[in-house]
Amino acid sequence: MTGAIFILSGAGLSAESGLRTFRAADGLWEDHRVEDVATPEAFQRDPKLVQRFYNERRRQAAEAQPNAAHKALAKLQKNHNAPVYLVTQNVDDLLERSGAEQVIHMHGAVKDALCAACAHRWTAPREMQVADPCPSCGQPKTRPDIVWFGEIPYHMDVIQDAIEDSDLFVSIGTSGTVYPAAGFGQMARHLGIKTLELNLEASNAPFDVQREGKASDIVPAWVDEILRG
Ligand code: APR
């Protein structure tokens, strides 16, 4: 295939790097439902708990290693003769550490920090504390640069343009349960774009083609097919 490829990835892409997925982790973290920790209300209510949750995820993400699927996507982006848009719901940087460029993190990045007062962004320390002053405005309003439930995902305009520019839409390792990401496949179909799902278990969304298997197996195999043309 020759045209641009839009790739949406979810937690299943990083599962074999040891980063738990949301639903398989029965959504619990230290007896808190993830949905109850990853929200602006939770941060207002108990900022220490939320910072602790993300310090733990930041540590795990830093210790994780890219797997063969991350590396295959970076190879595809380097060698394909048209744009490869890497849009991810994941907050780890395993794609970047595999050599991928311009990765679009629509739910933010756990390695980054954000000032809720002045919107300054910087690379977060390994352990963020509630009282950390913002390096720019000095106010103790720092938070992980994560899009929480109920907040607007990042880069939606760029994502829309990328879908419209693509000839193939590929969903990798996502349950397709959280909007707006879950609606991207439908948008692609409405535009007449071919859709492919690569997942451990096929989701019930109407993809043109669905392949089941571990990402570290089926993503490199698919990339090789594409690059062989
Ligand atoms: N290889 C491929 N796919 C896998 C693997 C694997 N080794 N392991 C799990 N999966 C698939 C599962 O089949 C499932 O479809 O990964 C998906 C994980 O789904 P979720 O846990 O719902 O994760 P995700 O789809 O990324 O969640 C989307 O929800 O909780 C919010 O903001 C959070 O970004 C997250 C969003």
Side-chain angles (χ1 to χ4, degrees):
M1 76 139 317
T2 52
I5 304 174
F6 183 100
I7 298 175
L8 171 67
S9 56
L13 175 66
S14 299
E16 290 158 87
S17 296
L19 300 179
R20 289 196 309 181
T21 64
F22 292 87
R23 272 85 211 163
D26 57 48
L28 283 184
W29 172 77
E30 287 191 349
D31 301 331
H32 298 278
R33 277 174 17 88
V34 170
E35 284 75 4
D36 295 339
V37 176
T39 67
E41 296 75 21
F43 191 61
Q44 286 298 326
R45 188 173 55 243
D46 190 345
K48 215 164 159 219
L49 172 73
V50 173
Q51 287 288 21
R52 201 169 88 234
F53 173 64
Y54 284 99
N55 288 341
E56 175 60 15
R57 291 186 68 198
R58 188 172 303 109
R59 182 188 61 74
Q60 289 175 4
E63 287 173 3
Q65 293 305 317
N67 64 53
H70 296 108
K71 293 171 188 167
L73 294 180
K75 184 173 95 176
L76 175 67
Q77 192 181 51
K78 272 195 185 61
N79 297 289
H80 185 51
N81 52 19
V84 174
Y85 301 106
L86 294 175
V87 177
T88 188
Q89 300 169 90
N90 298 340
V91 296
D92 64 62
D93 61 348
L94 295 174
L95 279 167
E96 290 87 339
R97 284 164 50 195
S98 304
E101 294 173 352
Q102 296 173 321
V103 179
I104 298 171
H105 286 272
M106 61 181 292
H107 289 168
V110 76
K111 69 174 179 49
D112 294 339
L114 169 68
C115 175
C118 75
H120 178 61
R121 280 186 170 82
W122 68 99
T123 300
R126 183 61 69 89
E127 300 265 325
M128 284 187 80
Q129 309 302 336
V130 175
D132 287 351
C134 166
S136 174
C137 74
Q139 295 188 60
K141 293 273 185 196
T142 61
R143 58 174 275 184
D145 188 15
I146 297 286
V147 177
W148 284 325
F149 287 94
E151 295 185 321
I152 312 287
Y154 293 153
H155 312 301
M156 289 302 289
D157 49 347
V158 170
I159 290 171
Q160 171 88 31
D161 292 347
I163 294 179
E164 289 171 1
D165 181 49
S166 295
D167 293 329
L168 176 63
F169 175 95
V170 188
S171 171
I172 299 176
T174 177
S175 60
T177 50
V178 173
Y179 284 80
F184 294 164
Q186 194 176 346
M187 201 187 294
R189 276 187 291 282
H190 286 164
L191 291 168
I193 297 169
K194 194 156 181 279
T195 59
L196 163 68
E197 179 181 41
L198 305 176
N199 200 325
L200 189 63
E201 288 152 19
S203 69
N204 52 19
F207 288 94
D208 295 314
V209 177
Q210 291 179 290
R211 289 185 187 178
E212 288 189 343
K214 286 184 170 182
S216 61
D217 294 333
I218 62 176
V219 173
W222 169 71
V223 165
D224 288 346
E225 277 173 36
I226 291 289
L227 293 181
R228 273 200 303 272

